[in-house]
Amino acid sequence: MSQLTVLVGPRDHVQGPSAAPVTLLEYGDFECPHCGRAYPIVKEIQRRLGADLRFAFRHFPLTQIHPHAEHAAESAEATAEHDKFWPMHDLLFEHQDSLEDPQLIEYATELGIDPEWFASALEDGRFEHRVREQFLSGVRSGVNGTPTFFVNGVRYDGSWDALGDVLADAVLTKD
């Protein structure tokens, strides 16, 4: 089993308490249709487990097959500067078929972010390094596709539909 080489920490985008008994980490790509199908499953797991789950998301844009994935990831990082990572994360997954720069700027504007600042950040690649850093942490952990999930630092290769039950069982065994 693959182990997570860079543990979830303060630089990660996290929802849920740090003391949660289970941490679910997703390496994802906003343009990936498989990630799009996993998105509502993760949302349901979060709803179901509540404070027993800490969820983290890291970027793993597959730019060879998803031409808008890199800028989508960078846009999420740009919005994180304004504490809007999670609202942008959700918008990107909910609008996977509209990830060109004009749409990304529109989403940022909807979230109250200055469109000129945002467009400039995308244009000059201000957040490219951060996305690359997360991508490389995935490579070091054996990630080769998206979505890839880790449960408490161990790669999960089972069915996404069973993921909620696996996490619920992990919560029970932590008590």
Side-chain angles (χ1 to χ4, degrees), residues 2-159:
S2 295
Q3 298 283 321
L4 192 60
T5 60
V6 178
L7 298 179
V8 174
R11 290 181 47 87
D12 285 299
H13 303 291
V14 176
Q15 290 180 316
S18 59
V22 176
T23 297
L24 174 66
L25 168 68
E26 175 184 356
Y27 278 96
D29 172 330
F30 291 114
E31 198 171 4
C32 168
H34 303 295
C35 294
R37 284 193 293 281
Y39 168 73
I41 294 169
V42 171
K43 285 290 197 190
E44 174 58 24
I45 291 168
Q46 288 180 286
R47 186 200 63 73
R48 185 171 144 199
L49 295 183
D52 287 330
L53 178 69
R54 177 173 66 154
F55 174 62
F57 183 88
R58 290 183 184 161
H59 304 288
F60 202 83
L62 301 172
T63 57
Q64 300 264 330
I65 56 175
H66 301 138
H68 304 103
E70 177 69 29
H71 267 192
E74 289 177 32
S75 72
E77 288 301 313
T79 60
E81 290 283 303
H82 301 275
D83 296 321
K84 302 286 186 178
F85 175 84
W86 290 108
M88 181 61 107
H89 167 276
D90 293 350
L91 278 171
L92 295 171
F93 275 127
E94 291 164 9
H95 299 284
Q96 279 192 307
D97 58 344
S98 300
L99 297 178
E100 294 186 20
D101 286 358
Q103 286 93 16
L104 298 176
I105 294 166
E106 183 180 312
Y107 304 148
T109 304
E110 286 176 28
L111 296 175
I113 297 169
D114 175 46
E116 290 181 22
W117 176 87
F118 185 84
S120 171
L122 281 183
E123 187 175 311
D124 68 20
R126 201 170 306 164
F127 298 95
E128 188 177 312
H129 175 75
R130 179 75 181 117
V131 171
R132 187 85 183 138
E133 179 182 281
Q134 290 182 17
F135 182 89
L136 291 174
S137 78
V139 170
R140 287 192 300 276
S141 295
V143 175
N144 56 8
T146 57
T148 296
F149 293 102
F150 288 82
V151 177
N152 289 339
V154 177
R155 184 173 171 151
Y156 173 78
D157 289 320
S159 163

